[in-house]
PDB file of all heavy atoms in Angstrom:
ATOM      1  N   MET A  11    -170.237  46.251-144.840  1.00 75.00           N
ATOM      2  CA  MET A  11    -170.311  47.694-144.927  1.00 75.00           C
ATOM      3  C   MET A  11    -171.693  48.220-144.537  1.00 75.00           C
ATOM      4  O   MET A  11    -171.823  49.342-144.089  1.00 75.00           O
ATOM      5  CB  MET A  11    -169.945  48.113-146.343  1.00 75.00           C
ATOM      6  CG  MET A  11    -170.077  49.577-146.576  1.00 75.00           C
ATOM      7  SD  MET A  11    -168.634  50.172-147.411  1.00 75.00           S
ATOM      8  CE  MET A  11    -168.778  51.872-147.208  1.00 75.00           C
ATOM      9  N   LEU A  16    -177.712  53.545-141.059  1.00 95.00           N
ATOM     10  CA  LEU A  16    -178.896  53.355-140.226  1.00 95.00           C
ATOM     11  C   LEU A  16    -179.870  52.392-140.890  1.00 95.00           C
ATOM     12  O   LEU A  16    -179.997  52.366-142.116  1.00 95.00           O
ATOM     13  CB  LEU A  16    -179.633  54.676-140.024  1.00 95.00           C
ATOM     14  CG  LEU A  16    -178.970  55.757-139.200  1.00 95.00           C
ATOM     15  CD1 LEU A  16    -179.925  56.940-139.029  1.00 95.00           C
ATOM     16  CD2 LEU A  16    -178.542  55.244-137.851  1.00 95.00           C
ATOM     17  N   LEU A  24    -185.381  60.066-139.620  1.00 96.00           N
ATOM     18  CA  LEU A  24    -184.470  61.205-139.775  1.00 96.00           C
ATOM     19  C   LEU A  24    -184.918  62.096-140.923  1.00 96.00           C
ATOM     20  O   LEU A  24    -184.856  63.316-140.825  1.00 96.00           O
ATOM     21  CB  LEU A  24    -183.032  60.722-139.997  1.00 96.00           C
ATOM     22  CG  LEU A  24    -182.110  60.968-138.809  1.00 96.00           C
ATOM     23  CD1 LEU A  24    -182.484  60.115-137.629  1.00 96.00           C
ATOM     24  CD2 LEU A  24    -180.681  60.800-139.200  1.00 96.00           C
ATOM     25  N   ASP A  41    -190.796  48.455-149.166  1.00 70.00           N
ATOM     26  CA  ASP A  41    -190.891  47.123-149.756  1.00 70.00           C
ATOM     27  C   ASP A  41    -189.546  46.607-150.234  1.00 70.00           C
ATOM     28  O   ASP A  41    -189.395  45.428-150.525  1.00 70.00           O
ATOM     29  CB  ASP A  41    -191.881  47.124-150.928  1.00 70.00           C
ATOM     30  CG  ASP A  41    -193.291  47.450-150.459  1.00 70.00           C
ATOM     31  OD1 ASP A  41    -193.660  47.026-149.343  1.00 70.00           O
ATOM     32  OD2 ASP A  41    -194.018  48.138-151.197  1.00 70.00           O
ATOM     33  N   ASP A  42    -188.561  47.484-150.368  1.00 64.00           N
ATOM     34  CA  ASP A  42    -187.228  47.102-150.828  1.00 64.00           C
ATOM     35  C   ASP A  42    -186.220  47.684-149.849  1.00 64.00           C
ATOM     36  O   ASP A  42    -185.745  48.795-150.017  1.00 64.00           O
ATOM     37  CB  ASP A  42    -186.979  47.636-152.247  1.00 64.00           C
ATOM     38  CG  ASP A  42    -185.674  47.150-152.825  1.00 64.00           C
ATOM     39  OD1 ASP A  42    -184.906  46.454-152.112  1.00 64.00           O
ATOM     40  OD2 ASP A  42    -185.398  47.459-153.991  1.00 64.00           O
ATOM     41  N   THR A  57    -184.566  62.366-154.136  1.00 53.00           N
ATOM     42  CA  THR A  57    -184.632  62.077-152.702  1.00 53.00           C
ATOM     43  C   THR A  57    -186.045  62.157-152.144  1.00 53.00           C
ATOM     44  O   THR A  57    -186.274  61.789-151.009  1.00 53.00           O
ATOM     45  CB  THR A  57    -183.712  63.020-151.903  1.00 53.00           C
ATOM     46  OG1 THR A  57    -184.075  64.360-152.189  1.00 53.00           O
ATOM     47  CG2 THR A  57    -182.258  62.766-152.234  1.00 53.00           C
ATOM     48  N   ALA A  63    -179.840  56.921-146.753  1.00 91.00           N
ATOM     49  CA  ALA A  63    -179.364  56.042-145.687  1.00 91.00           C
ATOM     50  C   ALA A  63    -178.124  56.669-145.060  1.00 91.00           C
ATOM     51  O   ALA A  63    -177.012  56.435-145.518  1.00 91.00           O
ATOM     52  CB  ALA A  63    -179.055  54.659-146.234  1.00 91.00           C
ATOM     53  N   PHE A  70    -175.442  61.171-135.976  1.00 95.00           N
ATOM     54  CA  PHE A  70    -175.051  61.816-134.729  1.00 95.00           C
ATOM     55  C   PHE A  70    -174.684  63.278-134.950  1.00 95.00           C
ATOM     56  O   PHE A  70    -175.000  64.135-134.124  1.00 95.00           O
ATOM     57  CB  PHE A  70    -173.907  61.054-134.054  1.00 95.00           C
ATOM     58  CG  PHE A  70    -174.351  59.753-133.428  1.00 95.00           C
ATOM     59  CD1 PHE A  70    -173.704  58.568-133.742  1.00 95.00           C
ATOM     60  CD2 PHE A  70    -175.408  59.714-132.535  1.00 95.00           C
ATOM     61  CE1 PHE A  70    -174.113  57.364-133.168  1.00 95.00           C
ATOM     62  CE2 PHE A  70    -175.831  58.524-131.955  1.00 95.00           C
ATOM     63  CZ  PHE A  70    -175.172  57.339-132.273  1.00 95.00           C
ATOM     64  N   TYR A  77    -180.204  69.674-132.938  1.00 89.00           N
ATOM     65  CA  TYR A  77    -180.897  69.572-131.647  1.00 89.00           C
ATOM     66  C   TYR A  77    -179.970  69.698-130.443  1.00 89.00           C
ATOM     67  O   TYR A  77    -180.422  69.602-129.311  1.00 89.00           O
ATOM     68  CB  TYR A  77    -181.651  68.242-131.568  1.00 89.00           C
ATOM     69  CG  TYR A  77    -182.733  68.127-132.608  1.00 89.00           C
ATOM     70  CD1 TYR A  77    -182.532  67.383-133.772  1.00 89.00           C
ATOM     71  CD2 TYR A  77    -183.953  68.778-132.455  1.00 89.00           C
ATOM     72  CE1 TYR A  77    -183.521  67.282-134.742  1.00 89.00           C
ATOM     73  CE2 TYR A  77    -184.942  68.680-133.405  1.00 89.00           C
ATOM     74  CZ  TYR A  77    -184.723  67.935-134.551  1.00 89.00           C
ATOM     75  OH  TYR A  77    -185.699  67.842-135.501  1.00 89.00           O
ATOM     76  N   ASN A  78    -178.686  69.868-130.672  1.00 86.00           N
ATOM     77  CA  ASN A  78    -177.700  69.945-129.607  1.00 86.00           C
ATOM     78  C   ASN A  78    -177.756  68.727-128.692  1.00 86.00           C
ATOM     79  O   ASN A  78    -177.593  68.831-127.476  1.00 86.00           O
ATOM     80  CB  ASN A  78    -177.883  71.243-128.801  1.00 86.00           C
ATOM     81  CG  ASN A  78    -176.665  71.568-127.969  1.00 86.00           C
ATOM     82  OD1 ASN A  78    -175.556  71.179-128.295  1.00 86.00           O
ATOM     83  ND2 ASN A  78    -176.880  72.278-126.872  1.00 86.00           N
ATOM     84  N   ASN A  87    -171.438  50.082-121.836  1.00 61.00           N
ATOM     85  CA  ASN A  87    -172.485  50.418-122.800  1.00 61.00           C
ATOM     86  C   ASN A  87    -173.690  51.094-122.170  1.00 61.00           C
ATOM     87  O   ASN A  87    -174.806  50.981-122.651  1.00 61.00           O
ATOM     88  CB  ASN A  87    -172.906  49.199-123.626  1.00 61.00           C
ATOM     89  CG  ASN A  87    -171.781  48.756-124.536  1.00 61.00           C
ATOM     90  OD1 ASN A  87    -170.880  49.531-124.832  1.00 61.00           O
ATOM     91  ND2 ASN A  87    -171.818  47.524-124.984  1.00 61.00           N
ATOM     92  N   VAL A  89    -175.491  54.434-121.808  1.00 62.00           N
ATOM     93  CA  VAL A  89    -175.518  55.630-122.634  1.00 62.00           C
ATOM     94  C   VAL A  89    -175.845  56.839-121.769  1.00 62.00           C
ATOM     95  O   VAL A  89    -176.818  56.833-121.020  1.00 62.00           O
ATOM     96  CB  VAL A  89    -176.571  55.486-123.757  1.00 62.00           C
ATOM     97  CG1 VAL A  89    -176.636  56.748-124.587  1.00 62.00           C
ATOM     98  CG2 VAL A  89    -176.254  54.276-124.626  1.00 62.00           C
ATOM     99  N   HIS A  92    -176.592  63.943-123.350  1.00 64.00           N
ATOM    100  CA  HIS A  92    -176.412  65.321-122.909  1.00 64.00           C
ATOM    101  C   HIS A  92    -177.453  66.172-123.633  1.00 64.00           C
ATOM    102  O   HIS A  92    -177.396  66.314-124.841  1.00 64.00           O
ATOM    103  CB  HIS A  92    -175.003  65.813-123.245  1.00 64.00           C
ATOM    104  CG  HIS A  92    -173.940  64.869-122.799  1.00 64.00           C
ATOM    105  ND1 HIS A  92    -173.330  64.977-121.582  1.00 64.00           N
ATOM    106  CD2 HIS A  92    -173.395  63.781-123.393  1.00 64.00           C
ATOM    107  CE1 HIS A  92    -172.439  64.004-121.450  1.00 64.00           C
ATOM    108  NE2 HIS A  92    -172.462  63.276-122.542  1.00 64.00           N
ATOM    109  N   THR A  97    -178.468  69.156-118.714  1.00 53.00           N
ATOM    110  CA  THR A  97    -178.693  68.074-117.764  1.00 53.00           C
ATOM    111  C   THR A  97    -178.154  66.791-118.382  1.00 53.00           C
ATOM    112  O   THR A  97    -177.966  66.707-119.585  1.00 53.00           O
ATOM    113  CB  THR A  97    -180.191  67.885-117.456  1.00 53.00           C
ATOM    114  OG1 THR A  97    -180.861  67.543-118.660  1.00 53.00           O
ATOM    115  CG2 THR A  97    -180.791  69.122-116.845  1.00 53.00           C
ATOM    116  N   LEU A 115    -177.379  52.205-131.802  1.00 90.00           N
ATOM    117  CA  LEU A 115    -178.736  52.191-132.342  1.00 90.00           C
ATOM    118  C   LEU A 115    -179.748  52.630-131.297  1.00 90.00           C
ATOM    119  O   LEU A 115    -180.659  53.406-131.585  1.00 90.00           O
ATOM    120  CB  LEU A 115    -179.094  50.799-132.887  1.00 90.00           C
ATOM    121  CG  LEU A 115    -180.478  50.670-133.519  1.00 90.00           C
ATOM    122  CD1 LEU A 115    -180.678  51.683-134.657  1.00 90.00           C
ATOM    123  CD2 LEU A 115    -180.703  49.253-134.015  1.00 90.00           C
TER     124      LEU A 115
END
Side-chain angles (χ1 to χ4, degrees):
M11 176 134 195
L16 292 185
L24 251 68
D41 296 324
D42 186 356
T57 56
F70 287 127
Y77 297 101
N78 197 26
N87 293 339
V89 178
H92 310 267
T97 61
L115 182 56

